[in-house]
Every structure is written in C-alpha cells, then in structure tokens.
Amino acid sequence: MDTRFLLPLCLVLLLLGCEVQGTHLPQQDEPTSPHMLTQVQETLFSYWDNAKAAAQGLYEKTCLPTVDRKIRDMYSKSSAAIRTYTGIFTDQILTILQGDQ
C-alpha cells in the first residue's frame, strides 16, 4: 500500500469511528436485566450440577475397592510419619531455644 493512501484511510476510519460512537441507542427497560441475570445464573447452576453428576458417575464407575484401601493405608502411614517427625522437630526447636538452662 502506498503511503499517500494511508492518511486518507486513517481519516475515513476516524470519521467512521466517531459516527459509530455518536449514535445513541434507546435505553432498555431495567426490569429485564434482573430477569436475564436470574436466567444466566440458573443456566450456570444447571451446568455445574450436570458436571458434578457426571464426575460423580465417573468416580463411581472407576472406583476400585483395593485402590481405595491402598490410598487410605498410605494416608494413615504418611500422617503417622509426619506426626512423628513434627514431634522430633518441635523437640529440637525447644532444645535450641532453651539453651543451657
């Protein structure tokens, strides 16, 4: 594109932009706005409920009792280990803070 066409093109686009901004649409009634908000809210809640139901269904289909037991066993063992190491760490901190008293 030649540079001599650039200035008139920018002016035409600026004029069109001002024309679009200058036209005002009549105000819509306010009571329709809360109705639309309620409708959107209900739609979103229905999507959320459908997604939760689908996830629950997939979980129930793929739930294996042996895997569930292994996960519970790993959780109990790891929480017991964390409890032990937390006790040791607490004792070390108290020993350091007390010093040679």
Side-chain angles (χ1 to χ4, degrees):
M1 177 184 260
D2 197 9
T3 56
R4 64 184 171 162
F5 292 115
L6 189 60
L7 181 63
L9 179 66
C10 288
L11 291 174
V12 168
L13 289 176
L14 181 65
L15 180 68
L16 287 175
C18 290
E19 184 67 30
V20 169
Q21 284 180 350
T23 59
H24 293 288
L25 295 175
Q27 293 287 333
Q28 292 182 352
D29 295 336
E30 288 298 320
T32 60
S33 179
H35 176 67
M36 187 186 308
L37 178 63
T38 305
Q39 190 175 16
V40 168
Q41 225 175 7
E42 288 173 358
T43 305
L44 289 175
F45 283 138
S46 69
Y47 286 149
W48 179 253
D49 291 338
N50 288 340
K52 281 194 323 187
Q56 183 68 26
L58 287 173
Y59 175 74
E60 288 174 358
K61 277 185 187 177
T62 59
C63 181
L64 300 173
T66 56
V67 174
D68 193 40
R69 264 186 264 131
K70 286 181 182 179
I71 290 173
R72 288 177 192 264
D73 186 46
M74 284 187 341
Y75 176 77
S76 64
K77 285 181 181 179
S78 63
S79 63
I82 289 173
R83 197 173 306 121
T84 301
Y85 288 117
T86 303
I88 292 170
F89 182 70
T90 304
D91 288 343
Q92 292 293 321
I93 295 293
L94 289 176
T95 302
I96 290 171
L97 291 176
Q98 287 178 354
D100 294 328
Q101 289 182 0

